Amino acid sequence: MRILVTGGAGFLGSHLCDALLAEGHTVVAVDNLLTGRLSNLEHLACESRFKFELHDICEPFDYGKVDYVFDFASPASPVDYMTHPVETLRVGSLGVFNALDVARKYNARFLISSTSECYGDPLEHPQRETYWGHVNPIGPRSVYDEAKRFAEAATMAYARYHKVDTRIVRIFNTYGPRLQLIDGRVISNFMRQAMRGEDLTVYGDGLQTRSFCYVSDEIDGILRLAHSDERLPTNIGNPREFTILECAELVLKVTSSRSRIVFEPLPVDDPKQRCPDISKAWQKLCWQPKIDLEAGLRLSMDYFRKCLGAEETPVRPATKGSSPIGTRPKDGAVPIALG
Ligand code: UDP
């Protein structure tokens, strides 16, 4: 197949490109590099079946006939989507329409990367795909949550009215190599802080929960869904639930760090609990994750170490006065090479 991956330079998009190439396909990756990085793709520079197109998918595009479109273009970490709120809403609406139009034009299949954020601060636990969610439509997270809920609605409309053959994956917190060390997410923040001997910043009381899926498990689930006939939303995530405090302690153990844990204000609308019910993925796709959090963190250590090695300027630890959206190291202090 000839496959288009939007957001192909991002964390998940770039791993998806690798997996699709490994399956023998030809891949065209499109990205505007707002949060994606060419360094995620530089190992593919000599791959003849791979092409990168620098483009913002909010503007129409056409890179020729394709058989499958994977729409993975969007800022995804809370700090990123709150830093780029309008871009996030645009890519989840205009961008998704443009990607759907490509699929429609070429009679290609289409898979949208959706998110556990569709469930908001959930009142049902664990979250099944049938749960409609509990989302604040005007809060700071709404730019991402509502964009993804809109993206799901647009995808279903193209399936119903334009007969596009679509899939929807709801991705739960995923981590691993290529996660940006400065994207403000909990795993990247904790790994970076622990390895630098800085305080680990737990927001709130640390009793809120998340479940963390290692990237190879996530990609495996997404590909199984892509090749299946399942057209309704499907959760792909690790159902082992951790409190953020447990997560901090595990990072300290894995990195053998003597950093302390400090507490900072909880960001606005931070979900209290999040855990996927993956019985559907198991029944329909025979999928379940294989790598637990401790093993996954160990597998990610080399990558995080390399990222830290690339940091040239000492960065202030983020221990005081966190913003309502969480914290990440100051932009500009951490040079990240773009390829
Ligand atoms: N979090 C934290 N310290 C950090 C970064 C995040 O305690 O340095 C918390 C955050 O408040 C949330 C959880 O960890 O409860 C996961 O945050 P993340 O930004 O990774 O993603 P989310 O699941 O909220 O989209």
Side-chain angles (χ1 to χ4, degrees):
M1 285 195 278
R2 186 163 186 269
I3 296 180
L4 184 80
V5 179
T6 75
F11 167 51
L12 282 179
S14 63
H15 280 285
L16 185 61
C17 290
D18 288 343
L20 292 168
L21 288 165
E23 284 189 347
H25 307 295
T26 295
V27 174
V28 181
V30 185
D31 205 301
N32 68 351
L33 302 182
L34 180 68
T35 55
R37 294 176 297 164
L38 282 181
S39 56
N40 288 338
L41 297 172
E42 62 191 3
H43 59 290
L44 300 176
C46 300
E47 171 54 68
S48 59
R49 287 180 293 117
F50 179 76
K51 196 157 185 259
F52 175 74
E53 300 283 356
L54 179 61
H55 180 76
D56 180 352
I57 66 159
C58 295
E59 301 300 328
F61 58 97
D62 184 351
Y63 296 109
K65 183 170 170 28
V66 288
D67 306 289
Y68 217 128
V69 176
F70 288 81
D71 190 357
F72 276 64
S74 178
S77 92
V79 172
D80 280 343
Y81 60 70
M82 290 186 229
T83 305
H84 304 289
V86 175
E87 292 88 340
T88 303
L89 284 161
R90 283 171 60 83
V91 79
S93 49
L94 300 174
V96 173
F97 276 138
N98 287 331
L100 279 163
D101 283 335
V102 170
R104 186 181 177 200
K105 175 174 181 185
Y106 292 115
N107 203 18
R109 274 181 280 167
F110 179 88
L111 185 146
I112 183 81
S113 59
S114 186
T115 166
S116 56
E117 285 286 322
C118 284
Y119 302 122
D121 191 3
L123 302 179
E124 177 179 305
H125 194 73
Q127 293 82 55
R128 279 177 299 176
E129 290 87 347
T130 47
Y131 178 51
W132 290 354
H134 181 231
V135 173
N136 176 355
I138 55 166
R141 296 177 87 101
S142 66
V143 295
Y144 184 63
D145 302 10
E146 296 293 19
K148 287 296 184 182
R149 287 163 69 95
F150 179 89
E152 289 197 6
T155 301
M156 291 306 293
Y158 269 58
R160 285 195 185 104
Y161 303 111
H162 294 319
K163 306 299 170 209
V164 178
D165 190 4
T166 62
R167 313 281 183 277
I168 298 174
V169 59
R170 290 193 181 140
I171 297 169
F172 284 66
N173 297 53
T174 303
Y175 68 99
R178 299 187 201 158
L179 195 64
Q180 266 206 72
L181 196 59
I182 57 159
D183 74 357
R185 280 189 254 215
V186 67
I187 297 284
S188 22
N189 271 10
F190 284 176
M191 288 297 272
R192 183 170 183 280
Q193 289 161 341
M195 289 170 125
R196 289 173 65 115
E198 294 166 359
D199 296 344
L200 269 60
T201 52
V202 167
Y203 301 156
D205 57 12
L207 298 180
Q208 70 273 34
T209 67
R210 295 294 186 273
S211 20
F212 300 97
C213 192
Y214 188 66
V215 64
S216 60
D217 281 334
E218 188 67 44
I219 296 291
D220 177 38
I222 291 169
L223 285 183
R224 282 175 193 241
L225 177 66
H227 296 312
S228 79
D229 290 329
E230 182 50 45
R231 290 177 177 81
L232 292 176
T234 305
N235 291 338
I236 299 290
N238 194 315
R240 167 73 164 91
E241 194 178 355
F242 287 84
T243 66
I244 293 306
L245 213 45
E246 286 171 333
C247 173
E249 277 154 9
L250 198 56
V251 167
L252 291 178
K253 176 181 165 194
V254 165
T255 54
S256 307
S257 168
R258 294 163 72 181
S259 291
R260 292 177 314 145
I261 292 174
V262 298
F263 294 87
E264 291 201 348
L266 192 66
V268 176
D269 288 342
D270 198 278
K272 282 180 272 312
Q273 51 183 5
R274 188 183 285 156
C275 178
D277 180 322
I278 58 162
S279 21
K280 180 177 175 185
W282 174 242
Q283 280 156 20
K284 303 255 179 184
L285 315 175
C286 262
W287 178 85
Q288 61 179 6
K290 298 187 185 81
I291 299 176
D292 68 23
L293 182 55
E294 181 165 348
L297 289 175
R298 290 191 193 284
L299 286 169
S300 312
M301 291 260 291
D302 274 358
Y303 163 78
F304 283 120
R305 248 194 223 109
K306 266 186 212 135
C307 292
L308 276 176
E311 288 186 350
E312 289 162 9
T313 322
V315 180
R316 264 181 292 139
T319 51
K320 275 191 191 157
S322 74
S323 79
I325 65 171
T327 347
R328 75 162 158 201
K330 292 264 180 286
D331 277 349
V334 184
I336 294 282
L338 286 179

